[in-house]
Amino acid sequence: MAISKTAQDNHETLFPGLKSTLKQTDPEFIEVFDNFTFDEVLKYQDLDLKLRMKLTLASLIAMQCLNEYKAMLNGALNIGVTPVEVKEIVYQAVPYVGLGKVFDFLHGTNEVFKDRGIDVPLEGQSTTTPETRYDKD
């Protein structure tokens, strides 16, 4: 089995020029993974790419997959998911996975941002204060 042209094209969109180390050490697995993730699954969904990547990041936080999160974070940033959107995804994960687990993802996010030359902290985005947050719609 080979990696389909569709899977190759979709992978290249997210990760231009990336040479997977697993493709060298585990080529059979990567063929199945890439064909499934970047071709077959996409035939049965109609999410736009940016939304799909945001959902992927949130899911990886929920599953506590930090290494894959950082890899997919690069792909998300490559296709236009903004640093502000990424931070919001991470911050909003606190009630679902807990503060302690989110800290790992904040550090991982900041590492990726640093590697990409994205300055942190980002500009504040809060629209409420402690006094108004319960009244704000």
Side-chain angles (χ1 to χ4, degrees):
M1 167 176 40
I3 298 173
S4 74
K5 174 86 168 94
T6 299
Q8 289 175 34
D9 291 346
N10 287 328
H11 189 277
E12 185 66 19
T13 297
L14 291 170
F15 309 106
L18 178 73
K19 301 296 182 201
S20 168
T21 56
L22 288 178
K23 193 172 184 180
Q24 304 306 312
T25 60
D26 300 273
E28 193 170 26
F29 173 80
I30 291 302
E31 284 179 9
V32 172
F33 177 84
D34 279 7
N35 283 330
F36 179 76
T37 304
F38 300 112
D39 186 357
E40 296 164 17
V41 135
L42 303 180
K43 295 174 185 175
Y44 302 100
Q45 59 87 41
D46 62 356
L47 301 173
D48 69 69
L49 183 55
K50 285 175 68 173
L51 179 57
R52 191 172 81 239
M53 290 306 294
K54 290 184 224 178
L55 291 169
T56 298
L57 294 175
S59 298
L60 291 167
I61 293 169
M63 294 184 295
Q64 296 297 288
C65 300
L66 181 58
N67 289 333
E68 189 63 17
Y69 167 86
K70 291 192 307 188
M72 293 306 243
L73 174 54
N74 275 298
L77 293 167
N78 286 342
I79 56 93
V81 175
T82 69
V84 168
E85 291 171 315
V86 171
K87 286 287 185 135
E88 188 68 17
I89 291 165
V90 178
Y91 295 169
Q92 293 296 327
V94 171
Y96 302 100
V97 300
L99 187 59
K101 292 178 181 179
V102 165
F103 278 150
D104 291 337
F105 287 86
L106 280 174
H107 288 296
T109 299
N110 291 336
E111 288 171 24
V112 170
F113 284 6
K114 180 181 178 187
D115 291 345
R116 294 176 68 102
I118 300 168
D119 292 328
V120 291
L122 302 175
E123 187 175 329
Q125 302 294 310
S126 182
T127 60
T128 63
T129 66
E131 294 78 23
T132 64
R133 68 179 172 176
Y134 290 109
D135 298 328
K136 186 82 173 171
D137 287 347

